[in-house]
Amino acid sequence: MAIFIVRHSTTYRYEREVRLGRHQLMARPRDSFDQRLIDFSLDVTPKPSEVRWLHDVFGNCVAHIEFDRASDYLRFDCEIKVDHTPENAPDFRIEDYAKDHPFTYHDEEAPDLAPYVQRWFSDPEDHVGRWLDTFLTRGTKRPTGQLLMTLNEAISDGFAYDRRTAPGTQIPSTTLELRKGTCRDFAILMIEAARSLGFAARFITGYIYVPDRDGPTWLGGGATHAWCQIYVPGSGWVEFDPTNGIVGNRDLIRVAVARIPSQAIPLFGTYWGSREDELGMNVEVNVKTASALFLLL
């Protein structure tokens, strides 16, 4: 068990005062048996006229933030405290009928999982399938857990991490062509590959704890992070971080789940002004353990 402290700051700056519109924020972690939200605070400057919380279609906590003024800057500061329990992964407990792949989800689960099995990106030339053929024999019986770990490792070992500030996610064929991408790109590549094999998969956004000493240097720290979950009968939604080769929730703090990346954007909004007014955005994310913070004080 660990207590993680997350400080997440986003600042927008403008050439002149612009009228601020509604912004939508996803930063409040999801409560579960393996992570418990102890505290969450949100400070917005300039002061908004309204902050309204709701649950979206996936049960994520979303803040709708309204403004009634103009400003030449906008800042969101979040501080999060989470009680995090890492899983002993990989520890797949799989129903007998699903221990070997390929398999078919049971009738009582299949209708609910169907949207997560359906491919999202068009792939008429089967780029994803041809990539899978380089290390898997499709249609051949293989232990399910081994298959998923192989897929996760194929991305972690075979692609270069390339931090990109531009919004959006690369389509899988682009990631396969470039052999590099961001955590979001790797997550969607694994999702599309898993879906092509008949698995239900969904997109996760959140944070990753990067140990300062005596541990691996995880990629994707210093910003929001992205990975995926795959539904395994008997184990439920199992987390895979193909950027770092992580299986399970170790060092990962879930904030939002979604079917596709555009449904889990951490922060976006509007303003009234010209495109030239926007000077840029700066994001700072810092994840520490409570003990590390105590030692620094």
Side-chain angles (χ1 to χ4, degrees), residues 19 23 28 36 83 183 203 222 246 291 296:
R19 182 184 168 195
H23 283 66
R28 184 185 178 98
R36 180 175 61 88
D83 183 348
C183 56
F203 183 82
I246 297 173
S291 58
L296 290 172

Side-chain angles (χ1 to χ4, degrees), residues 134-195:
T134 63
F135 58 92
L136 294 177
T137 303
R138 286 186 286 178
T140 301
K141 284 285 186 180
R142 185 169 181 172
T144 297
Q146 181 188 82
L147 170 62
L148 293 174
M149 290 176 64
T150 299
L151 177 56
N152 196 51
E153 291 168 4
I155 300 173
S156 176
D157 295 341
F159 294 79
Y161 178 79
D162 184 31
R163 185 168 182 173
R164 188 178 67 248
T165 57
T169 306
Q170 288 177 173
I171 62 175
S173 59
T174 299
T175 302
L176 289 169
E177 178 184 0
L178 298 176
R179 308 301 291 187
K180 64 181 181 180
T182 67
C183 56
R184 298 173 72 87
D185 303 326
F186 297 153
I188 199 61
L189 173 59
M190 181 154 182
I191 287 170
E192 288 293 286
R195 288 173 176 173

Side-chain angles (χ1 to χ4, degrees), residues 36 62 96 110 128 140 193 218 240 265:
R36 180 175 61 88
V62 182
D96 287 342
V128 171
T140 301
W218 296 134
F240 293 88
I265 299 173

Side-chain angles (χ1 to χ4, degrees), residues 12 33 49 126:
Y12 298 93
F33 60 88
S49 59
D126 195 26

Side-chain angles (χ1 to χ4, degrees), residues 209-218 250-251 295:
Y209 168 62
V210 181
D212 291 321
R213 302 174 183 171
D214 301 326
T217 301
W218 296 134
R250 179 168 50 104
D251 294 335
L295 291 173

Side-chain angles (χ1 to χ4, degrees), residues 62-241:
V62 182
H64 284 188
I65 304 164
E66 305 280 359
F67 299 90
D68 58 3
R69 58 167 296 174
S71 177
D72 61 359
Y73 77 100
L74 177 59
R75 183 179 177 93
F76 299 84
D77 289 305
C78 298
E79 184 161 324
I80 302 158
K81 189 174 184 180
V82 175
D83 183 348
H84 185 274
T85 304
E87 297 173 320
N88 293 321
D91 181 20
F92 296 109
R93 298 190 180 187
I94 303 176
E95 297 287 349
D96 287 342
Y97 80 90
K99 284 186 176 179
D100 291 318
H101 180 273
F103 64 88
T104 301
Y105 289 116
H106 274 171
D107 291 344
E108 63 268 23
E109 294 179 326
D112 299 307
L113 295 173
Y116 300 98
V117 177
Q118 183 178 354
R119 297 281 298 274
W120 176 249
F121 289 95
S122 176
D123 189 12
E125 297 182 22
D126 195 26
H127 290 96
V128 171
R130 286 191 282 116
W131 170 65
L132 287 172
D133 287 339
T134 63
F135 58 92
L136 294 177
T137 303
R138 286 186 286 178
T140 301
K141 284 285 186 180
R142 185 169 181 172
T144 297
Q146 181 188 82
L147 170 62
L148 293 174
M149 290 176 64
T150 299
L151 177 56
N152 196 51
E153 291 168 4
I155 300 173
S156 176
D157 295 341
F159 294 79
Y161 178 79
D162 184 31
R163 185 168 182 173
R164 188 178 67 248
T165 57
T169 306
Q170 288 177 173
I171 62 175
S173 59
T174 299
T175 302
L176 289 169
E177 178 184 0
L178 298 176
R179 308 301 291 187
K180 64 181 181 180
T182 67
C183 56
R184 298 173 72 87
D185 303 326
F186 297 153
I188 199 61
L189 173 59
M190 181 154 182
I191 287 170
E192 288 293 286
R195 288 173 176 173
S196 75
L197 294 169
F199 289 100
R202 62 187 186 182
F203 183 82
I204 312 294
T205 186
Y207 306 102
I208 184 170
Y209 168 62
V210 181
D212 291 321
R213 302 174 183 171
D214 301 326
T217 301
W218 296 134
L219 299 171
T224 55
H225 191 52
W227 60 99
C228 67
Q229 289 179 333
I230 296 176
Y231 190 79
V232 180
S235 290
W237 289 104
V238 179
E239 286 171 275
F240 293 88
D241 177 7

Side-chain angles (χ1 to χ4, degrees), residues 14-86:
Y14 306 95
E15 180 70 30
R16 60 184 178 88
E17 286 194 345
V18 297
R19 182 184 168 195
L20 301 173
R22 173 186 290 179
H23 283 66
Q24 181 171 303
L25 174 77
M26 280 186 176
R28 184 185 178 98
R30 295 172 65 99
D31 274 303
S32 185
F33 60 88
D34 58 354
Q35 70 172 36
R36 180 175 61 88
L37 181 62
I38 300 172
D39 192 28
F40 176 88
S41 66
L42 170 64
D43 184 36
V44 184
T45 309
K47 186 177 179 179
S49 59
E50 181 185 29
V51 178
R52 183 169 65 92
W53 287 92
L54 56 88
H55 288 106
D56 69 5
V57 68
F58 304 106
N60 302 312
C61 291
V62 182
H64 284 188
I65 304 164
E66 305 280 359
F67 299 90
D68 58 3
R69 58 167 296 174
S71 177
D72 61 359
Y73 77 100
L74 177 59
R75 183 179 177 93
F76 299 84
D77 289 305
C78 298
E79 184 161 324
I80 302 158
K81 189 174 184 180
V82 175
D83 183 348
H84 185 274
T85 304

